[in-house]
Amino acid sequence: MAVRRSVLTACPPDNSLLDAIVRVNATQDLMALRYGTPPATELTGDVRGWHFCADVLTRSDVLSRWHDEQRAWLRAEYGQAPDRTAAGSIKSWYLQAPATLGALLFHYERRVPSLRPDDLAFHVSSTGKPKPDVVALLSPRFACLPDDPAAETSEATVVESEGALAALLRARYAAHATRFVAAYRPPVRFGKHALWGAATDALDVALWKAGKQGGNESAGVADAALVLPDRIEPFTSASTLHTTLDDGQPCWTRRKESCCFHYLLDNGKGACDTCPRRSPPLMPRQH
């Protein structure tokens, strides 16, 4: 991995994204957040380590080695490693990094950070599945609402409403996902719809789970509906969160827009209940 100088030249001011990330990390464990470039000593170049998103999207060898690592893990766990299962894991895992960072800061802080590939890095777990377990934000800039305590700082861009902030999160995430789809589609046999389905899933799930982690699942569901209110291109659907019954009790679930291909492993379980291979599309929302 190419070692980059941090874009941060000084400690960020009070009420900045550093403070926000500290608060968010104390509340949730979906994925650890970090502010600033990891120390050069942690940039080993191995798959299980730190990766700059911009490097992953411009260097095919990084994705290739990540696939190899996932195939090795699948063989160790299941005795086989279908290419589509490995590729399905990578597409979902990568997209979770910008989606989770954006969702957590939006839900808990009503802030939208930069989600550009140049401004993000992620760490692949050193044990177990080779999936991201930490995402780092490298830029101090963010958008916020007028009543944000840091609204008047030089790093902040103020937008007028929650709806505008949600639209900005959607747009910034979509811009990053567009780069991923362009980079990932050539080496794998996934169509554009399948990749954008994975991008839709990652954002919808991240917003839902952000609320659930904080003890207010309904608020997470409301955020998902705010960010994905309809099928807005290039996303493949509105939020698919809906209620169902579990042992007679109402609970939230969602229909997936993409398949993880885990069913290809010889475990006899088939596709999961919420997989688009088994579950019909939801009816369009009524306005």
Side-chain angles (χ1 to χ4, degrees):
M1 173 187 291
V3 177
R4 303 180 182 184
R5 177 184 295 178
S6 172
V7 298
L8 307 178
T9 58
C11 292
D14 291 341
N15 297 317
S16 70
L17 288 179
L18 174 60
D19 304 293
I21 283 173
V22 170
R23 291 191 294 269
V24 171
N25 279 337
T27 308
Q28 60 82 35
D29 58 7
L30 285 179
M31 187 182 294
L33 306 185
R34 177 174 182 147
Y35 186 78
T37 304
T41 54
E42 297 183 23
L43 300 172
T44 64
D46 295 334
V47 171
R48 291 182 180 269
W50 281 98
H51 301 273
F52 292 107
C53 288
D55 287 344
V56 174
L57 299 184
T58 56
R59 292 175 47 191
S60 60
D61 63 302
V62 178
L63 287 171
S64 178
R65 289 186 292 112
W66 198 2
H67 278 134
D68 291 343
E69 185 75 12
Q70 171 61 352
R71 281 192 288 265
W73 184 86
L74 287 171
R75 289 192 193 95
E77 290 292 313
Y78 298 97
Q80 58 180 314
D83 285 345
R84 288 179 77 79
T85 306
S89 299
I90 301 301
K91 70 174 169 57
S92 297
W93 291 343
Y94 179 91
L95 290 162
Q96 285 170 8
T100 302
L101 173 66
L104 287 171
L105 285 172
F106 178 79
H107 178 76
Y108 289 107
E109 300 288 327
R110 280 305 191 250
R111 293 178 179 179
V112 174
S114 172
L115 296 178
R116 297 170 59 246
D118 285 342
D119 293 332
L120 299 185
F122 62 89
H123 181 270
V124 175
S125 175
S126 58
T127 60
K129 295 179 182 179
K131 62 184 298 185
D133 57 1
V134 187
V135 59
L137 177 59
L138 313 181
S139 169
R141 296 178 294 277
F142 62 95
C144 64
L145 297 173
D147 61 353
D148 190 291
E152 296 184 1
T153 65
S154 59
E155 291 81 11
T157 298
V158 177
V159 299
E160 69 276 12
S161 66
E162 286 192 342
L165 197 65
L168 185 60
L169 171 59
R170 184 174 60 245
R172 288 184 175 182
Y173 173 73
H176 190 136
T178 297
R179 292 273 305 276
F180 173 75
V181 169
Y184 199 60
R185 191 178 180 189
V188 299
R189 294 179 296 171
F190 295 144
K192 186 176 180 180
H193 184 87
L195 292 172
W196 274 107
T200 305
D201 284 339
L203 185 57
D204 199 18
V205 168
L207 289 161
W208 173 29
K209 290 188 175 179
K212 192 172 183 178
Q213 287 270 300
N216 193 342
E217 185 175 16
S218 295
V221 173
D223 281 349
L226 187 63
V227 176
L228 295 170
D230 294 292
R231 185 184 184 278
I232 301 172
E233 293 287 349
F235 297 100
T236 58
S237 76
S239 172
T240 65
L241 284 157
H242 61 280
T243 55
T244 188
L245 294 178
D246 184 10
D247 291 333
Q249 298 298 315
C251 64
W252 287 101
T253 187
R254 67 179 305 277
R255 177 192 182 271
K256 292 172 60 179
E257 287 291 298
S258 65
C259 180
C260 63
F261 299 100
H262 197 80
Y263 75 93
L264 293 176
L265 298 170
D266 190 18
N267 55 18
K269 294 181 180 179
C272 60
D273 291 340
T274 58
C275 180
R277 294 174 177 273
R278 297 183 60 176
S279 178
L282 297 176
M283 294 296 293
R285 289 189 177 168
Q286 300 298 314
H287 297 281

